[in-house]
Every structure is written in structure tokens, then in C-alpha cells.
Amino acid sequence: MTNACSTCKYNTASDLKKMGEQTASFDYTIALAGNPNTGKSTVFNTLTGLRQHTGNWPGKTVTTAQGSFSFLDKKFKLVDLPGTYSLLSTSEDEEVARDFILFGKPDVTIVVVDASRLERNLNLALQILEITNKVVLCVNLMDEAKRHNIEIDDRTLARDLGIPVVMTSARSNEGITELLHAVHDLAIGEIVTKPYHFQDIPRTTNKAIEKLNDELLKLYPQLANSRWIAMRLLEGDESIIKALKEGRLH
Amino acid sequence: MTEDRNKLDKLLKLAEDLRKDVGDNYHDNLTESFYADASKIVKNSVKSDDQHRTFRVDRAIDNIVTSKIWGFPIMLLLLGVVLWLTIIGANYPSQLLSSLFLETIYPLLKSGAESLSIPSWISGLLIDGVYLSTAWVVAVMLPPMAIFFPLFTLMEDFGYLPRIAFNLDNIFRKAGAHGKQALTMSMGFGCNAAGVVATRIIDSPRERLIAIITNNFSLCNGRWPTQILIATIFIGAVVPTGLSQLVSTGSVIAIAVLGIGFTFLVSWFLSKTMLKGEASFFILELPPYRPPRIWQTIYTSLIDRTLIVLGRAIVFAAPAGAIIWLISNINIEDQSIALWLIEGLSPFGIILGLNGVILLAYILAIPANEIVIPTILCLPRLRSAAWELAMVQVYFSMVRKMRWLIFCMPEGGHYSPVSI
Amino acid sequence: MENEALQIETKLSELTYGEEAEILGISDNCKGEIRRRLLDLGFVRGTRITVQNISPLSNPVAYSLRNTLIALRNEQAELILIKKLSDNDKRL
């Protein structure tokens, strides 16, 4: 377990070594997901020491930028996914982001959300929780939220979502050490999450999802995100159907 | 294997049947559920003073920059201020650099080569060719870029670009193009390559193609310094000194606005002819304004943009300098290769409204458009006979201005590029 | 009975500056990619929405919903069904 000192913010990120573009050998792969304009690229730059350009307009991150860092003797590869509002549509960005989380099987996915626009941002976070349970929620832009007099109870949020929640202001390096600890502990298996699965579905839809889910689990008992696959199959998502046929999902 | 496959096919069949049950509103329901859950969770853990909290500063800025009266003037004004600062600010460091490179270092190199008794063709090739053209490029390009890119990046980081898209969208809509093309166009003003890559955010292939084709009309980073240079040398120099910076700024803005006009015109033409189709939807988030971190932006845009562009220019300028020196100094029969080429290219050049010298410079500078102007200025310098002849063929009054510029340069390459 | 008049279903494009509305849904004429986009951005039933900015050339319009500004062309705003809220509703 982490002691008080190691999470104290005065014990700066001295354990963090930014390793720029070296991504040759690493122990864990970390995906960085989030809505556009949440400061995702700033988090990426802070962790890797790279200078991925951080323009303030939607759709700016061109491809999945990669970088690496080491923390507490473990090497991490960090993959910056394109910013998306959702993973339910079929635009190019969303497919890149979705495919990486689904097929790339990152050890941890950091979902960066804008503290002042939590509701909109949780929409994406909840969808990601359906795909993977190794998620850390990074509530970024806390400085801005404070200016808007928004208070967030991170414990309640963490309890409701069943995952680690870290408050950060990546621009001024606040909360980065805590974020690193959460990612590290989740990666090495010291934290076990109990992710929230969304519930508020109309009954007929839910019944259809459950039925398909059962069948999927009969066929592929190992499938971790069967409920989400079931939802996609109901939508007729061609790339998921293809992936199932090619056996890439289990 | 086949058994698994059969089971999977059965599963997919089941999914299809169930799809009919859940109906057309499946996606609607799903999204609604996610949002409903999200707002439930938020209610538990977020407290804000006011349920309808207003982001007053953002709102105030938006009311001004998107207003009917101020929206467009502010756009032009911001562009103008950025260019004006670039032109004014670049003048002095450019002079400083060129006097350092040409008046201090150049003679040292020359005398050093002499004292080591290095053959004159080697010192000519390396010092008069490679060194001079590289020094030229650095002196001319570094200062404007080091000012322009950070300023542009500051505007970008602040969140202004989506507002440009918002203001201009109606024109794009009427041109049958996508509103986000305004974003890729604005990006193109920073860098065409980035602008073309950014067209990825346009989902319709037809509109994306229009955006790609017309991105070329946005002045990109390689061309800003060239435009600013041309404006300073040719346009700024014909008006009284007091007005020159204002007029050169104005002329660069005019070129940029002309480019925007062409973007609309060509987009409209394409969407009515070769790329026919209805304008698709436009949905764009206007992100909150974020105060840019000034020092960080200056640092990263210097490192990431300025030095990369400059490095690229040098990589092409150095060999171009060598080639220019060689073709100017190797004679075939009684005249240099450069003169043969200039004479040969002149007829074509004049058809295009150029002359042989300029056309040759364009050809030599094909790999990097940043170095066209430096090349034009280097070419004739090396052989006055060649360039005298070329100037007789001068076609544009603008180019006549350049002759004046080059006449002002003393023999032997002591010249200061922007000090006119 | 002015409250009743305000309850009538209308289109988002009819919303004017200063009014507040609640989204009822997206028109059935709107299908495919654009429907999904609108939903993803939060144009779902029950969402409160206001007009925030109108572009200098009248179209598009920026709407405020869930603490974000989303700009839509009028053609898209016509596809979104709303009911305007009276002052009474707003307090709820």
C-alpha cells in the first residue's frame, strides 16, 4: 500500500522519469482517453516530457501519439488517443480510440475529464467502463472548476464509479503524482476496481442486451466485455462482427 | 473450428432478430441512458453555487468576437496585429543577424581559407555558395518565424480558431463546403501540411476533398516569411518610410484575405461541378477559452515549429547554395551554365509573368518553397553579366524593384537582406 | 393560459435568444451519422438548452447545453424537437 508520504504532493514526482519517445521496452501500456478540450494532451506532455502540441480546438490530436515514462521502477508506454465525445458512433477518431481500448488491451486506461463539464464527460467515461474495468478517472482542469465555484467530492465519485478518481490541474502539475500512483497501483494489480455498469436502460432494450450477453458468454466464457459487445452487435457494428469472426476479441 | 463458426453465425442471427425488437430508437435509448446515468452520478458528487452557472467571461468574449458588428473586424484586426508585430519585430534582429553573418563571419571565413591556402574553388563552393545561402536563409527567416509562430500559437491555444469557423461557416455552407473547413483553413495559415491532416475532422469525403484541395490557398508558414519579405522589399519600399510598415502589413493581409476569397470561390466551383453534392451537417463545439501559458507557448512554438521549419529550409538551402555557385561559375563555351539556363527558361518564364531568373529560382527551390526568394537574390549576385541580362527581361514592376535592391548590394556579397 | 401556449412542440431553430427550452427528441427525418452525432453531443430527451451566440452571418447558432457551447447550422437545428419553457418550468 502507498504510505502518506509517497502520495504527499511535496514528495514531488521525483520517482517519475520522463522518457520521451523511447517506447522500445516497457512493462505496461497505458491508454489516455477523453473528450476533446479536456487537457488530455497536457497530461500526456506532463507525463512523458514530450511536447505534443496542445491546440484548443476539437479534433486536434491527429493520431495516437506515443511516449513513455517510468515510475517506481516500472516502465510505462503511454498512448494518447484522439479526443472523442462517445464511442458509439462510427467516425474515424472514435474507431481509432475504441479499437485501441478494445484490441490493444491497455493495462490501464486513463480517462481525462473536464471538471467543469463532468456530466458531458462522464458519458464517455461510462462507455469506456463497459469495455474495460482497468480505468483511472483523471478529473482535470480543477483550477478552472475552482474559479467557477464547482466543488467535486472525489470520494463519492470514486465510490459511485468503482474506480480510482484523481483530481488534477495538469497545466500546473497538480495531482500528477497521485495520478501516477493510481495508474501504477492499478497496473500492478494492487487496486481492484468494481466499475459502475450503467443501468438506466428501457426494459426491452435491456432484455435484448442481456439475452445476447448470455449467448456470448456461453460461446466465449473468457470475454471480459461481453455486455458491451452485445450492445454493439445489437447496433449492427460491422467492425465488431468482423473482429468476432476473426477471433480477435477473445 | 467450423462448429464455433456455426455457433457464432447463430449468435449473429440472434443479434439481428433482436435488433428488430429493440427498434429504430435503440441508439437514442442507449445514449439517453448513458447521459441519464452520468447526470445521476454528477448530482451525487458535484456541488456548484448555481445550477445554471454562467461562464461569464467566456460569454462576454464570445458576445464580442462573434457579434454582427465586431466579429469580422476583430478577425481582420487580430490577423493584422500578428502580421504587423512580425514585420516590425523582425526588422532589427534580421539586420543584426545579417551583419553578423555577412560582415563579421564571412570575411573571417574568407581570410581563414586564404591563409590555409585552400583552393579557391573549394572556398568558393563552401563559403560563397553553401555558407552564404544558409546565412541568408537564417537571417531572413528566423526572426519573422520566431515572432509569427508563437503569436499564432497563442491565438490557437486561447481557443479562438473555432470562433473563426463559427463566424465564417455560413459562407462555407453557401459554397457547399463543410464549416469545419474554416478550421482546417485557419490551421493552413499555420502550416498547410497540418491543415491537410486536420481535414480528417470532416466526415464527408466530398467535403474533405474540397478542404484538402483549397487548403493551398491558406498562406502557410513557408510562405508567410516570403510574403512578408516581398511586402517589405517591394511594397513597403515604394511608400514613404513612415508608412512602409503599415502598408506592407496591409498588403500581406490583403494577400491572406485574397486567399480566403479564393478558398470560397474554388470550394463553390468544385461543389457545383466536379464534387457536386449537398452540404452536410455542421456540429462544432466552441471550447471554453483558456488563458494560454505564454512562456511555455513561446518556448514550444520556437522549438517545435520555428526550428523545424528553419532546419528544413537550411537542409535545402545549403545544397541549393552549392548548386547556384556551381552553375554560376562553371562555363560552357563562353558563358556560365546559369546564364544558359536563364536564357533558356526566359521565354517560358515570361509567359508565366516571371523571367528566367525567377523561374530558375523556383526550380532550384522546388524542395522547399521557403528559399525561393533567397535563391532569386543569390542567383544574379554571383554573376553580374547573367543577371544584367535577366533584368533586361524583367516583366513585373515589382521585380524591377528587386533590381534596385540587388544594385544596392556591394560586390562580394556584403548585403543586408531586410534593411531596405 | 399563456403557459399552455408555451408547451407546444416546436423546433430548436425556432428558439430565440433569451428563451430556454427542453429537448423532446430528434426528428424521425434525421437518420444515420448525424443523428448519432447529435445524440453523442448530448442532444437527448430532457436536456435544457438555450441560445448563446448567433454567428455574424445569422447561421450557425451556438447553443448552450450541459455547460458546453455547441454550434449548429439551422438545417440541423430544425431536426431537433423542443418545448419552450415558461418561467414556471424553469424553476422546476
Side-chain angles (χ1 to χ4, degrees), chain B residues 375-398:
Chain B
T375 312
I376 293 175
L377 298 176
C378 284
L379 259 181
R381 181 178 58 75
L382 293 162
R383 257 296 152 97
S384 63
W387 109 257
E388 279 296 351
L389 182 82
M391 283 304 135
V392 177
Q393 304 160 338
V394 159
Y395 192 73
F396 263 22
S397 62
M398 259 170 71

Side-chain angles (χ1 to χ4, degrees), chain B residues 164-229:
Chain B
I164 296 180
F166 181 65
N167 285 347
L168 291 175
D169 175 63
N170 208 16
I171 311 178
F172 281 106
R173 189 183 62 88
K174 285 182 180 148
H178 199 287
K180 283 185 189 164
Q181 194 178 323
L183 272 183
T184 63
M185 183 182 80
S186 314
M187 277 308 290
F189 279 116
C191 170
N192 283 144
V196 168
V197 172
T199 58
R200 198 181 52 92
I201 59 175
I202 299 172
D203 290 318
S204 133
R206 180 189 76 88
E207 290 167 344
R208 194 186 308 162
L209 196 55
I210 292 178
I212 291 172
I213 292 169
T214 54
N215 199 269
N216 161 54
F217 294 114
S218 300
L219 283 181
C220 78
N221 61 31
R223 289 179 286 163
W224 281 113
T226 311
Q227 291 293 341
I228 292 169
L229 192 65

Side-chain angles (χ1 to χ4, degrees), chain A residues 60-77:
Chain A
K60 170 225 50 104
T61 300
V62 175
T63 43
T64 53
Q66 299 197 353
S68 60
F69 63 89
S70 85
F71 184 70
L72 298 179
D73 297 327
K74 292 278 187 286
K75 283 185 190 164
F76 297 87
K77 180 169 86 169

Side-chain angles (χ1 to χ4, degrees), chain A residues 16-242:
Chain A
L16 169 67
K17 254 199 250 121
K18 303 172 181 186
M19 309 201 308
E21 272 167 341
Q22 316 166 25
T23 49
S25 70
F26 48 86
D27 303 308
Y28 300 105
T29 305
I30 314 295
L32 198 60
N35 279 32
N37 301 307
T38 51
K40 210 160 56 68
S41 297
T42 314
V43 174
F44 179 82
N45 292 347
T46 310
L47 291 179
T48 59
L50 288 173
R51 290 180 307 269
Q52 174 80 350
H53 178 56
T54 55
N56 187 3
W57 52 280
K60 170 225 50 104
T61 300
V62 175
T63 43
T64 53
Q66 299 197 353
S68 60
F69 63 89
S70 85
F71 184 70
L72 298 179
D73 297 327
K74 292 278 187 286
K75 283 185 190 164
F76 297 87
K77 180 169 86 169
L78 187 65
V79 181
D80 190 14
L81 303 176
T84 60
Y85 295 101
S86 155
L87 295 178
L88 294 170
S89 293
T90 44
S91 73
E92 221 175 296
D93 315 13
E94 291 189 13
E95 246 167 65
V96 170
R98 201 253 337 250
D99 286 356
F100 189 83
I101 300 175
L102 193 58
F103 305 125
K105 298 208 168 62
D107 296 294
V108 176
T109 301
I110 303 173
V111 181
V112 184
V113 296
D114 176 351
S116 313
R117 293 162 188 81
L118 204 54
E119 186 180 325
R120 162 179 308 284
N121 285 242
L122 278 185
N123 172 44
L124 176 72
L126 290 179
Q127 292 180 29
I128 291 173
L129 283 181
E130 293 293 322
I131 306 178
T132 165
N133 51 15
K134 292 199 144 190
V135 176
V136 173
L137 190 77
C138 168
V139 183
N140 195 24
L141 301 166
M142 280 306 294
D143 40 357
E144 216 173 278
K146 275 180 201 137
R147 277 207 304 278
H148 294 308
N149 281 325
I150 297 165
E151 278 172 52
I152 298 172
D153 179 357
D154 52 342
R155 289 190 186 189
T156 309
L157 195 58
R159 197 196 55 217
D160 284 356
L161 290 172
I163 54 169
V165 171
V166 184
M167 322 269 251
T168 62
S169 304
R171 282 164 60 119
S172 49
N173 262 326
E174 270 169 60
I176 295 299
T177 313
E178 290 82 347
L179 178 65
L180 284 164
H181 277 292
V183 169
H184 174 268
D185 293 354
L186 189 56
I188 63 169
E190 221 164 85
I191 302 178
V192 180
T193 57
K194 257 188 77 193
Y196 177 90
H197 286 291
F198 81 125
Q199 300 138 358
D200 200 357
I201 321 173
R203 194 166 324 142
T204 43
T205 313
N206 200 27
K207 248 167 60 189
I209 293 174
E210 290 303 330
K211 193 167 172 190
L212 211 49
N213 186 13
D214 290 346
E215 293 299 318
L216 265 166
L217 280 176
K218 262 186 231 159
L219 198 52
Y220 312 109
Q222 308 293 328
L223 208 56
N225 37 31
S226 56
R227 185 158 175 253
W228 189 79
I229 307 276
M231 285 193 274
R232 297 314 296 160
L233 288 180
L234 269 180
E235 180 115 20
D237 188 322
E238 288 298 332
S239 65
I240 296 295
I241 293 174
K242 197 163 159 252

